[in-house]
Amino acid sequence: MRIQPSLRDEESPRWLFLPALKRRAKLRLPLRGTATTNNLLNSTTIELPQSMTPINGLGNGIEAAIAAMRREFSGNDWLLNEHWPLNEPHVRLMVMDLLAHFPPSRNVRLLDVGCANGYMSFIFSQLGYDVTGVDMSELPHRDAMFARAGINFVRANLNDANPFEHLDPASFDIVIIAQVIEHVLNHPLGLLRQLTDAMRPGGAMILTTPNPANVMNAVRTMRGRSMLWGTQDFIDEPKFGESGMISQADIHYREYTRDEIYHMFEGAGLRVELSRYLPFGSTRGQSAWKQLAKNNPLTRKLMTRRLFASNHYFLARKAR
């Protein structure tokens, strides 16, 4: 259910940076990270924060896994030039947080919920984890890539009453549910409870989702614009089909505040160990002022505060 950000998601609030820069994106950058620029109009280099420095020499493995992903998706311009630059800092943060808890091993099982085209599943598989992807869609390229890489796949509609009935209890060490919970209409808490049941004791869940409690959304509301992605589709499309509730990946049914996400974790029996506010990365296709805004140290620091951040990042654990 990870799909292309809407124009709203990629907008940066120009008015925040006036007059110095002449006045949102939905993907995620590390909290304490600093950004440096190398010919900002053409490319961007983002430094890893201290919490993301390579552990036990695994940095080269991370770079090799990312390079393998880029080769695998070499014909997918949208992924490599738009989606990946926006999401790369967040994926790197996930990798380093998980490496700190679970060194890669084929005995460490990872569940990628809403895996879409499978690029994140592929990266974690390349790192050495035993990966299972879950999604509603049937994608021939992804399925062929999964078969070559030894990645398992489970087809599931996350809006079904019991989407994970085929998963064994206490069978996964890691669950990643990135930019997915906002697409769940039926029972978000029930979904997290089922995922918790599938986690082994001591297992970790990483959840990312949009942060609606920010200044940009306040401005959108004052300008008479919707805060949610896909509102017209929500109005136009039915929610139930002949086979039950639909899975509509391009609609945000609900975006959650920090306290509401804590409520979900507590209701699912998970303990939050880490909570961050994160912005998106930047792409070469964005305007010069947007690249400057996203890579200016001051404005990037602002974007890790709730009022200016576009995303939540949570790491929660199941009791041993």
Side-chain angles (χ1 to χ4, degrees), residues 307-319:
L307 287 178
F308 304 106
S310 54
N311 286 271
H312 296 286
Y313 179 102
F314 285 87
L315 189 151
R317 301 292 296 276
K318 183 175 181 178

Side-chain angles (χ1 to χ4, degrees), residues 40-54:
L40 267 177
L41 299 184
N42 296 309
S43 65
T44 301
T45 302
I46 300 173
E47 293 180 358
L48 299 179
Q50 289 184 346
S51 62
M52 291 175 61
T53 52

Side-chain angles (χ1 to χ4, degrees), residues 241-277:
E242 294 181 0
S243 59
M245 186 170 287
I246 64 171
S247 178
Q248 193 79 356
D250 53 356
I251 295 175
H252 286 193
Y253 294 111
R254 181 74 158 79
E255 294 181 358
Y256 300 95
T257 66
R258 182 176 181 269
D259 288 347
E260 289 167 342
I261 298 171
Y262 265 91
H263 171 78
M264 273 194 276
F265 279 127
E266 291 170 359
L270 297 175
R271 183 186 74 257
V272 174
E273 289 195 351
L274 177 66
S275 172
R276 293 183 171 108
Y277 289 106

Side-chain angles (χ1 to χ4, degrees), residues 157-205:
N157 180 347
L158 302 185
N159 282 305
D160 283 346
N162 188 13
F164 303 119
E165 59 184 344
H166 302 301
L167 299 181
D168 293 330
S171 56
F172 289 93
D173 302 281
I174 300 165
V175 172
I176 295 176
I177 178 165
Q179 303 297 326
V180 169
I181 197 70
E182 66 273 14
H183 299 282
V184 176
L185 174 63
N186 180 28
H187 192 192
L189 177 56
L191 185 77
L192 286 195
R193 284 174 174 163
Q194 290 188 39
L195 289 173
T196 301
D197 289 342
M199 294 168 62
R200 292 170 176 162
M205 178 184 292

Side-chain angles (χ1 to χ4, degrees), residues 28 44 53 62-63 78 87 114 143 162 165 179 183 187 207 227 309:
R28 319 150 269 196
T44 301
T53 52
I62 296 169
E63 299 310 320
W78 169 77
N87 285 275
D143 296 343
N162 188 13
E165 59 184 344
Q179 303 297 326
H183 299 282
H187 192 192
L207 181 149
M227 294 191 303

